[in-house]
Every structure is written in C-alpha cells, then in structure tokens.
Amino acid sequence: MVTSFPQLRDEAANHPLARVLRTVSADSCPGRLNFHCHTTCSDGSLHPRELARQAAAIGLEHFAVTDHHTMEACPQVQAALNELASEGVTVPTLWSGVEISCLLEGCLVHVLALGFNPDHPALAIYLRGEAVVGPALRSEAVVAAIRAAGGLALLAHPARYRLSHQRLLTAAAAQGFDGAEAWYDYAMQGCWAPTPLVCEAIAGALAERGLLQSCGTDTHGLELRGR
C-alpha cells in the first residue's frame, strides 16, 4: 500500500524564503542559517542590537528573530544591521519571524512564522506580547493567519512536546503546515549541535512529505551560537 502525503502548497513553494530553506542541512546552523532565536523583547538575554552584531560576526547568511508573540526586536535588529553595513561589514539577510503558541492535537506547541508581512491585520492578535485564548489558539487559526500574511508556518522543535514528533508531524502536515524545525539541539549544549537520530528522523519525515526544513539555535542566553 502506498501512503499519500500532503505536498507543499504552491504559495509556500514559491516563497522567496523557501529557496533558502531548501538548502538547510545538519551543518547549516549556527554558522550559516539561524531561524530561531530570542532577545530581551521576550524571554531572551541578548539585546536586539547585540544579537545583530553577533549574527554579523558569526557570518550568518540568513536569520530570523523569533521572539514570542512580538515583533518589537526586528526594527532594532535591522537598524543595527544597516549601521554595520554602512561601515563596510557584511551582514546577513533578516527575515520577519515570530514564535506563536497554539494547540495541535490538543497539545500546546510552538509555531515559527517566517517571511510574513508584519503589518498584515491577520497576525495582529498574535503580536500582542502573550499567547491568545479561545478559538484563535487552535493551530488551524494560527496557520491561516500566517498564510494570510504571506508567511510560512513551521512547527518548532517537534521532539520537545508531550506527544511524539511522529504524531505531531503527521497532524501538522494534514493541517497545512509548511514544514518544521528539523535541526535542533535537544541536549541544549553550550555550543549548539543537532541531536543525532531524532533530527535525522524529523528531517526524513519532512522530506518524505515534500515539506520545508528549518534550523535554529533557539538562543535565550548571551551567545547566539548556543541555547
């Protein structure tokens, strides 16, 4: 019996960020790509301007700041990158990002919204600094809002929840998620490294479904190369 999986929607396949995410591999993070990190604007320890300086110093090519339910850091990060660029420093491309809490299969999970229009009204309810309640907390509502804003919806760290990553990835694919965070340091080491076996299993499941893979340090501390 051949299993048929949902495939990536056309809007996601043609999204400019999709071209970058298709290059993601086990060694992309933390030196080349990082689509999951936090600042003092939510629960991180890095000031947005310091995060920008570290991103440039590391030599990142593309990254996103994904504070919880707020875009407050992004203008500050972009301003710092612009200043560095004016001084002749090579800087990475900053993509819009935010981490949104939602319910998937009755489990509280986090969704990384990437590459969206931050001014789109559909996302306004999710950018107020705290998780929503009621019907807007359902994963279907979150994915719909991200889509309406022209972004990509990816399940963050699929193996960190009370339900198995296999079950959550199956549900996410069925509900129209565009992918998931394949490469993540579940051991939370000082120097970031993807966790063997589980990350490969997640990456394989996403590839089988034709979905996008992301990677990120999920930095909350003072070093962008670590958790």
Side-chain angles (χ1 to χ4, degrees):
M1 178 179 178
V2 177
T3 301
S4 177
F5 291 119
Q7 295 298 303
L8 192 63
R9 60 193 174 96
D10 289 344
E11 295 87 350
N14 296 321
H15 194 288
L17 181 55
R19 291 193 292 270
V20 179
L21 295 179
R22 289 191 185 98
T23 73
V24 168
S25 62
D27 59 358
S28 297
C29 189
R32 189 172 71 86
L33 305 173
N34 191 344
F35 296 105
H36 192 170
C37 56
H38 298 276
T39 73
T40 51
C41 293
S42 66
D43 58 346
S45 301
L46 279 172
H47 186 278
R49 298 182 70 86
E50 175 58 25
L51 188 149
R53 286 191 287 270
Q54 289 195 26
I58 289 170
L60 285 176
E61 298 173 13
H62 297 267
F63 78 117
V65 176
T66 52
D67 281 328
H68 296 272
H69 299 279
T70 178
M71 291 286 294
E72 183 182 349
C74 290
Q76 301 176 63
V77 173
Q78 189 61 66
L81 292 175
N82 292 344
E83 290 177 13
L84 289 169
S86 70
E87 298 167 3
V89 177
T90 300
V91 299
T93 298
L94 175 66
W95 296 85
S96 57
V98 67
E99 190 168 9
I100 301 172
S101 298
C102 73
L103 287 175
L104 176 67
E105 292 286 280
C107 179
L108 187 64
V109 302
H110 293 165
V111 180
L112 297 173
L114 300 173
F116 54 87
N117 174 6
D119 297 319
H120 197 284
L123 277 178
I125 191 174
Y126 300 108
L127 300 178
R128 297 175 180 173
E130 59 185 7
V132 300
V133 295
L137 185 63
R138 296 177 60 183
S139 55
E140 298 94 329
V142 173
V143 170
I146 296 170
R147 284 187 175 192
L152 301 173
L154 294 97
L155 179 63
H157 40 62
R160 280 193 65 187
Y161 306 111
R162 64 176 178 81
L163 297 182
S164 70
H165 67 266
Q166 296 96 331
R167 178 175 173 180
L168 290 174
L169 287 172
T170 297
Q175 290 187 17
F177 280 63
D178 300 307
E181 192 169 35
W183 307 102
Y184 188 85
D185 187 355
Y186 291 99
M188 300 184 185
Q189 304 169 84
C191 186
W192 189 95
T195 303
L197 300 180
V198 63
C199 288
E200 284 88 343
I202 292 169
L206 293 171
E208 189 175 35
R209 291 165 169 80
L211 300 179
L212 298 170
Q213 301 179 21
S214 71
C215 59
T217 54
D218 197 7
T219 297
H220 286 74
L222 293 171
E223 296 292 333
L224 192 52
R225 286 184 178 273
R227 175 68 162 78

